[in-house]
Amino acid sequence: MNRRDFLTQASLLTASSLISLESFAAAKGKHKMAYSAITWNGNDLVAIKDIAALGFKGIQLRANTYAPFKDKPQDLKDLLDQNGLTLAMFSSGNVGIQDDISKDVETHLNHARFVKALGGKSLQITNVSRPKDRNPTTEELKKYARNMSEVAKQVVGETGVQPAWHNHMHQLGETPEEVEIVATNMDTKYIKLELDVAHYTQGGGNAADAIIKYKDILHATHIKDTKPNAESRSGYQFVELGQGRVDFPAIFKALEKIKFDGWNVIELDAVPVKGRTALESGQTSKKYLESINIKFA
């Protein structure tokens, strides 16, 4: 082989290596990203079209869609299919800490049947049982974990739909310590974790560390941002991604470290600036993800 042929071969090998490295880097940054319809404040049919237009492949719907579509779920499924959207998560509502949870079981079973008819596989569970004038006791947190587990057991047994607990400010499981008590007392054969990174951050935790800690029970995430707001009654405000203090590069690095392949649902409870549309907020969040090289699977 003469010198020119050698250099040509070397150049081709180098180019091939660079392409392989670039492909690896691109693949490493891919995540299953969905978007929650909550920002559209009940206008779910508009939300479906806007979320699809933003380029997301998954959507989270809330329980408000159950009443109008419970007897005709195929109509809603057809709309999701037409827009290329998978039902990534369904907000099913609360489980309480009362002794009789028969109504909770009935509610979540009905929702799970609905989710299954829509082609979905996941059900979000929250609660409204936090005391107003004190922190919850360890026993209350354990009771919540037991009740959720019983509801989830029946949901999984009948429908195969996977319930996941959403940690939340002003609910049971507000702080990292409370999350730990609930998480370690759930029957994780039936109930998994849907980690909301903004609520966990606001509650005083490190969301990236929590992803590593709870990797074995992590079913989904809520990708959400929060910032201090003295004018808000709570002292904070949920905002578009990149506009607050949540460390998303660290969070996505942790997700890649554990090879997480579940849905990451972007959520914004309400448009934070008057006059801005839900679609515009979605565009802001998407641009931020692109700026930190997060690609959608």
Side-chain angles (χ1 to χ4, degrees), residues 26-78:
K28 187 179 178 184
K30 284 190 175 181
H31 299 266
K32 286 174 65 176
M33 302 300 302
Y35 206 104
S36 175
I38 190 173
T39 325
W40 281 259
N41 194 28
N43 296 315
D44 296 279
L45 301 186
V46 176
I48 288 168
K49 294 185 181 300
D50 282 353
I51 289 168
L54 285 167
F56 293 95
K57 301 302 181 185
I59 187 171
Q60 176 164 349
L61 296 174
R62 294 187 296 156
N64 63 290
T65 58
Y66 177 70
F69 287 103
K70 66 178 180 178
D71 296 323
K72 48 179 182 179
Q74 190 62 44
D75 288 358
L76 182 56
K77 186 178 187 305
D78 288 345

Side-chain angles (χ1 to χ4, degrees), residues 123-135:
L123 197 74
Q124 173 184 298
I125 291 178
T126 51
N127 73 88
V128 289
S129 302
R130 189 176 186 85
K132 297 185 186 309
D133 55 350
R134 61 175 174 81
N135 291 329

Side-chain angles (χ1 to χ4, degrees), residues 5 8 32 66 112 141 273 275 277 282 294:
D5 290 341
T8 300
K32 286 174 65 176
Y66 177 70
L141 294 167
V273 177
T277 68
I294 300 301

Side-chain angles (χ1 to χ4, degrees), residues 106-120:
E106 180 183 7
T107 294
H108 295 295
L109 270 175
N110 284 335
H111 287 164
R113 296 178 189 119
F114 184 62
V115 167
K116 189 172 183 178
L118 295 175

